[in-house]
Amino acid sequence: MAEKKIVAVVGATGTQGGGLVRAIANEPGSGFVARALTRDVNSDRAKALAKLGAEVVAANLDDFESMKRAFAGAYAAFCVTNFWEHFSPEKEYAQAKAQAEAAKHAGVQHVIWSTLEDTRRWVPLSDNRMPTLMEKYKVPHFDAKGEANQEFTKLRVPTTFLLTSFYWDNLIFFGMGPKKGPDGTLAFTLPMGDKRLPGIAAEDIGKCALGIFKKGKEYIGKTIGIAGEHLTGTQMAEAMTKALGQTVNHNAVTPEVYRGLGFPGADDLGNMFQFKRDFNEVFCGARNPAVAHSLNPSLQNFETWLAQNKQRIPLS
């Protein structure tokens, strides 16, 4: 029996990385085994991954030597950053660069870099359609990832650039679910007018990543966008109405209003939704659900995801 290829998974206790570790564990015939990288090997999440058969290894994106050790001997690596942990695009870029350099040093044969568009290609800093943030960005949590693509390219790391979509799980964990108004009616707020939002079940990202690794070299050097479905805010509200058994209205505020909501990152997210709205054809075009389905035949649409998760959505 051939020895299984090691996939080093950054952020293994997080949303995307955890999904990939579980996808590998649930498909023992894939030819891969997961090496789960985490800062705390003793956390409950890390222990749960170990029970699935993953090799759990301590690594820190801010400690380059630990990343080199974690990638050593791996055939492949899944690279990701978490802007919302620190709100620093500069730190995010540095962490992406460290991953690229560690992968190069270790001779990793296939990297998936979970990235997003650098929106400044479409909306330069001089464009006043949306405010410039932190002096250098339009959508900080997009732009730093997109800019960091060059770190993988210039080192000639064999990379697939994976464009992800809005997690439907944000309705559970990120405070984006429907909220009750003064009259008790639920409303789902989305500042994109009648434009479509590509969305995906977070767990499906890991399954799609495994699908890419299973294709071998086919997607190296390519940018692959994934989504489960493209829906308008009205369509999402209608699906939630059906699933939850109570009316959910679509609250189509403007990006300006959304930026002013006052929660941490509201300005970043307001700009993000405006970018998705104003360049909807480009953004949706880069994320074809048919591509995601070819990589992950069990890909969920929004209705399927809601059926599985409706009881987890807080209705405040």
Side-chain angles (χ1 to χ4, degrees), residues 182-226:
D183 63 353
T185 304
L186 291 168
F188 170 61
T189 299
L190 190 68
M192 289 181 58
D194 62 354
K195 302 301 182 182
R196 294 178 183 269
L197 174 66
I200 194 167
E203 196 73 4
D204 281 334
I205 297 172
K207 292 178 181 179
C208 288
L210 177 57
I212 290 170
F213 284 136
K214 285 163 63 178
K215 295 283 188 180
K217 297 181 179 180
E218 184 176 337
Y219 289 118
I220 288 176
K222 296 182 179 178
T223 299
I224 303 297
I226 55 173

Side-chain angles (χ1 to χ4, degrees), residues 30 43 84 114 122 129 151 183 193 212 233 235 242-244 246 249 293 299:
S30 69
S43 71
W84 304 108
S114 180
W122 292 269
R129 270 180 293 180
E151 296 296 336
D183 63 353
I212 290 170
Q235 288 172 325
K242 182 179 176 182
L244 298 172
Q246 53 182 307
N249 293 318
H293 190 268
L299 183 74

Side-chain angles (χ1 to χ4, degrees), residues 5 20 25 120 188 210 215 227 269 286:
K5 297 174 179 176
L20 176 55
R120 296 166 296 184
F188 170 61
L210 177 57
K215 295 283 188 180
L269 292 174

Side-chain angles (χ1 to χ4, degrees), residues 6-314:
I6 296 170
V7 180
V9 182
V10 175
T13 58
T15 304
Q16 294 187 37
L20 176 55
V21 174
R22 288 186 289 276
I24 292 171
N26 290 331
E27 196 172 326
S30 69
F32 298 104
V33 63
R35 178 183 290 166
L37 312 187
T38 179
R39 284 172 300 191
D40 182 3
V41 298
N42 295 311
S43 71
D44 290 341
R45 287 185 178 183
K47 289 176 180 177
L49 297 179
K51 285 182 179 178
L52 292 175
E55 174 194 7
V56 179
V57 172
N60 188 326
L61 289 176
D62 300 320
D63 178 354
F64 180 59
E65 293 302 317
S66 80
M67 292 305 301
K68 286 201 299 186
R69 290 191 298 270
F71 281 6
Y75 162 80
F78 180 81
C79 296
V80 67
T81 52
N82 183 8
F83 174 87
W84 304 108
E85 192 173 73
H86 46 69
F87 290 83
S88 170
E90 289 79 16
K91 184 169 184 173
E92 191 168 35
Y93 187 99
Q95 290 180 342
K97 182 179 179 182
Q99 291 175 80
E101 291 176 344
K104 179 69 173 180
H105 182 271
V108 173
Q109 295 181 51
H110 191 176
V111 166
I112 292 177
W113 161 229
S114 180
T115 187
L116 290 164
E117 288 88 345
D118 184 341
T119 65
R120 296 166 296 184
R121 287 178 52 199
W122 292 269
V123 190
L125 298 185
S126 59
D127 191 325
N128 293 324
R129 270 180 293 180
M130 63 177 70
T132 295
L133 306 177
M134 303 179 188
E135 299 181 355
K136 296 191 292 186
Y137 306 97
K138 288 299 185 180
V139 183
H141 81 281
F142 269 53
D143 299 349
K145 289 186 185 74
E147 187 178 356
N149 290 358
Q150 65 184 345
E151 296 296 336
F152 294 87
T153 301
K154 71 184 182 184
L155 289 174
R156 296 183 179 177
V157 176
T159 304
T160 301
F161 300 91
L162 180 65
L163 296 174
T164 57
S165 293
F166 176 88
Y167 305 168
W168 293 322
D169 307 67
N170 288 335
L171 302 178
I172 302 170
F173 301 113
F174 211 67
M176 292 186 175
K179 305 281 192 297
K180 285 185 180 176
D183 63 353
T185 304
L186 291 168
F188 170 61
T189 299
L190 190 68
M192 289 181 58
D194 62 354
K195 302 301 182 182
R196 294 178 183 269
L197 174 66
I200 194 167
E203 196 73 4
D204 281 334
I205 297 172
K207 292 178 181 179
C208 288
L210 177 57
I212 290 170
F213 284 136
K214 285 163 63 178
K215 295 283 188 180
K217 297 181 179 180
E218 184 176 337
Y219 289 118
I220 288 176
K222 296 182 179 178
T223 299
I224 303 297
I226 55 173
E229 198 169 9
H230 300 170
L231 296 171
T232 65
T234 297
Q235 288 172 325
M236 292 180 75
E238 289 171 350
M240 284 187 272
T241 295
K242 182 179 176 182
L244 298 172
Q246 53 182 307
T247 299
V248 178
N249 293 318
H250 174 213
N251 183 26
V253 300
T254 64
E256 290 78 10
V257 167
Y258 199 92
R259 284 190 283 266
L261 291 178
F263 61 86
D267 50 358
D268 187 332
L269 292 174
N271 280 9
M272 175 195 75
F273 285 123
Q274 184 175 343
F275 171 71
K276 293 178 181 183
R277 182 197 71 181
D278 293 353
F279 299 91
N280 198 242
E281 192 172 320
V282 170
F283 193 79
C284 290
R287 292 160 172 81
N288 186 346
V291 171
H293 190 268
S294 71
L295 296 167
N296 167 26
S298 65
L299 183 74
Q300 300 170 74
N301 61 21
F302 190 47
E303 184 179 352
T304 306
W305 180 86
L306 279 170
Q308 297 289 328
N309 293 279
K310 60 187 178 183
Q311 293 177 327
R312 303 169 66 204
I313 300 174

